[in-house]
Amino acid sequence: MASSSSFSSSTVTSKFIGFLLILSLQLDLLLGSDLHHKNQTSFRPNREVQKLRRLEKYLKRINKPSIKTIHSPDGDVIECVPSHLQPAFDHPQLRGQKPLDLPEMPSRANETTNEESFNQLWSQSGESCPVGSIPMRRTTKTDVLRARSVRRFGRRLRKPIRRDSSGGGHEHAVVFVNGEQYYGAKASINVWAPRVTDAYEFSLSQIWLISGSFGHDLNTIEAGWQVSPELYGDNYPRFFTYWTTDAYQATGCYNLLCSGFVQTNNKIAIGAAISPRSSYNGRQFDLGLMIWKDPKHGHWWLELGNGLLVGYWPVFLFSHLRSHASMVQFGGEVVNSRSNGGHTGTQMGSGHFADEGFEKAAYFRNLQVVDWDNNLLPLSNLHVLADHPACYNIRQGKNNVWGTYFYYGGPGRNPRCP
């Protein structure tokens, strides 16, 4: 009898313990599910907070202390930053240094020009930056948030690179020379305001100095004008520079948005809007550009117009371009994202085809390269490329006034370019 009672008691106890275990597991599952839900809902805000912190850190690094502020009519804010505080001098190899003395200029052979004086909107009120400072376009939180990420702001999207620089949704109408050693390039480009139809597309006209294998080690130096709603938030044509040493992957940037290009000029704001611009059947306004390797120090210098030195890319930034360029390219480029299913309506140049000619189509004129002895020479063995000629085309010519020149551009989407 005692034995039977003991068995019954232990059985009840076992069942009760089992019930408690099941109850405990159910509570754990409920609480765990609730905690998991809370973690999911709090994960995104945490990511946003981290992004904002990265953004603030970047803005603090790139927007330097200024001694004067100028408000441009297009909404830009131009800060006059002491030259030695510009972003380039954050680079370990430049820290504590000052901009270099003037470079040795290339020899010019009986050169004449009819270029209009280069102007930017921010300086048309007569305001300027003091000597010893440089004008820097202030980067805003809104600017950075337009980019796909803080890390990619101020950089071109990675893209497949082919020998002719096409591919990856990037389309070109260009001329190029290769097969020799090049120490610079020069041209005059008329400035337009092409329509860009997608927020993540751009339209540009520029000079490229290129070296490397067109793989992950591609080196480029680039300068010209561009319309980029993503980068600037509007459709003004803007003077810009770019560089990369790894095919647009992790190195380099536009303008002064990273440590690289050293600006020496207090009258030009890289990234600021150009005004006036060329008009269809009207006056044409040119941007004269020259990039060359200074024989004295080896750095790559940039000149605007005739004699207006903008600054230089330090030679240590590069691998293949430490010695010379193996290819020089001139022309237009657009991004075709096909966001509406068909070809983009983003224009190149004036938005008109090359065949329309002067006062209607965009052009490059007086194309030259710099040789090993720092002489400007006309181009030889010129190659012409339009990778989508029904959308954007090119027509090259030569005469005594414009030397080697070409017209280029187009409207993008049209009946022959669906």
Side-chain angles (χ1 to χ4, degrees):
M1 193 71 179
S3 171
S4 174
S5 174
S6 172
F7 174 79
S8 176
S9 174
S10 67
T11 302
V12 171
T13 303
S14 298
K15 287 181 177 178
F16 181 67
I17 291 170
F19 170 74
L20 288 175
L21 285 170
I22 291 167
L23 183 62
S24 175
L25 284 169
Q26 287 176 334
L27 284 169
D28 283 346
L29 286 169
L30 284 168
L31 290 170
S33 174
D34 188 49
L35 285 170
H36 177 67
H37 178 70
K38 283 181 179 177
N39 284 339
Q40 277 193 318
T41 55
S42 64
F43 179 66
R44 185 170 181 81
N46 283 341
R47 282 181 59 186
E48 293 301 317
V49 168
Q50 289 171 2
K51 182 179 179 180
L52 286 172
R53 283 175 181 163
R54 285 197 301 270
L55 189 154
E56 295 291 350
K57 186 178 178 182
Y58 174 78
L59 290 175
K60 189 175 180 180
R61 187 173 74 248
I62 213 70
N63 288 325
K64 301 298 186 180
S66 69
I67 56 177
K68 182 179 179 180
T69 299
I70 301 169
H71 293 271
S72 176
D74 63 342
D76 279 358
V77 176
I78 304 298
E79 303 286 5
C80 300
V81 174
S83 295
H84 66 282
L85 294 181
Q86 63 181 289
F89 293 108
D90 291 337
H91 195 287
Q93 294 194 52
L94 288 176
R95 200 166 288 144
Q97 297 184 32
K98 292 183 178 179
L100 291 174
D101 294 332
L102 298 181
E104 186 179 324
M105 303 293 293
S107 301
R108 306 169 193 259
N110 301 321
E111 193 174 289
T112 60
T113 180
N114 60 350
E115 285 174 24
E116 297 281 350
S117 178
F118 175 82
N119 285 300
Q120 293 183 298
L121 276 174
W122 71 274
S123 60
Q124 287 184 350
S125 65
E127 291 274 16
S128 62
C129 284
V131 174
S133 69
I134 64 163
M136 283 188 64
R137 179 182 181 271
R138 183 194 291 168
T139 301
T140 67
K141 187 181 293 186
T142 305
D143 288 334
V144 183
L145 289 174
R146 280 194 304 270
R148 288 175 170 88
S149 71
V150 176
R151 191 175 62 85
R152 294 305 302 173
F153 174 72
R155 290 177 174 165
R156 292 196 186 180
L157 291 177
R158 296 175 189 173
K159 58 179 182 178
I161 303 290
R162 294 188 352 212
R163 184 188 166 281
D164 58 13
S165 293
S166 68
H170 292 240
E171 300 182 8
H172 300 77
V174 297
V175 305
F176 65 92
V177 290
N178 60 359
E180 296 182 31
Q181 296 181 357
Y182 306 99
Y183 296 83
K186 188 177 189 294
S188 293
I189 317 167
N190 65 341
V191 180
W192 296 84
R195 184 179 69 249
V196 176
T197 59
D198 185 279
Y200 291 105
E201 296 179 346
F202 63 66
S203 180
L204 60 77
S205 299
Q206 67 173 41
I207 297 173
W208 290 260
L209 290 170
I210 303 169
S211 193
S213 61
F214 285 86
H216 294 300
D217 63 345
L218 184 76
N219 287 206
T220 74
I221 290 173
E222 309 170 31
W225 62 262
Q226 69 176 163
V227 174
S228 176
E230 179 186 5
L231 190 58
Y232 307 107
D234 57 34
N235 286 285
Y236 288 110
R238 294 170 178 271
F239 170 54
F240 82 97
T241 62
Y242 200 90
W243 66 277
T244 182
T245 62
D246 60 0
Y248 307 96
Q249 294 181 87
T251 63
C253 63
Y254 280 110
N255 309 332
L256 304 180
L257 295 174
C258 66
S259 298
F261 187 83
V262 179
Q263 184 165 339
T264 59
N265 188 285
N266 69 323
K267 294 180 173 61
I268 301 297
I270 305 176
I274 301 169
S275 181
R277 282 91 72 177
S278 303
S279 59
Y280 192 81
N281 275 333
R283 290 182 70 185
Q284 305 300 295
F285 293 91
D286 289 6
L287 172 66
L289 290 172
M290 180 168 68
I291 304 167
W292 81 102
K293 198 172 195 299
D294 175 28
K296 200 188 319 184
H297 296 108
H299 304 307
W300 292 92
W301 278 80
L302 173 62
E303 181 192 73
L304 198 57
N306 286 309
L308 196 61
L309 292 174
V310 181
Y312 60 92
W313 291 270
V315 70
F316 64 72
L317 294 173
F318 304 100
S319 51
H320 297 289
L321 279 172
R322 281 183 185 237
S323 53
H324 60 269
S326 56
M327 180 177 179
V328 177
Q329 187 167 277
F330 309 80
E333 176 184 354
V334 301
V335 173
N336 175 27
S337 63
R338 303 187 71 88
S339 57
N340 294 321
H343 194 283
T344 182
T346 288
Q347 299 173 336
M348 180 188 292
S350 68
H352 294 263
F353 285 114
D355 316 79
E356 293 193 41
F358 188 64
E359 292 186 340
K360 299 176 178 65
Y363 59 76
F364 279 63
R365 61 178 177 82
N366 299 109
L367 274 61
Q368 295 173 288
V369 292
V370 180
D371 71 1
W372 65 273
D373 200 25
N374 210 28
N375 297 307
L376 278 163
L377 302 174
L379 274 63
S380 58
N381 301 318
L382 191 65
H383 305 275
V384 179
L385 170 75
D387 44 39
H388 294 80
C391 312
Y392 315 104
N393 70 353
I394 188 166
R395 182 166 60 84
Q396 185 250 326
K398 190 172 184 178
N399 63 36
N400 291 332
V401 179
W402 279 18
T404 301
Y405 69 89
F406 63 90
Y407 291 101
Y408 70 102
R413 189 168 188 170
N414 67 80
R416 295 190 303 115
C417 174

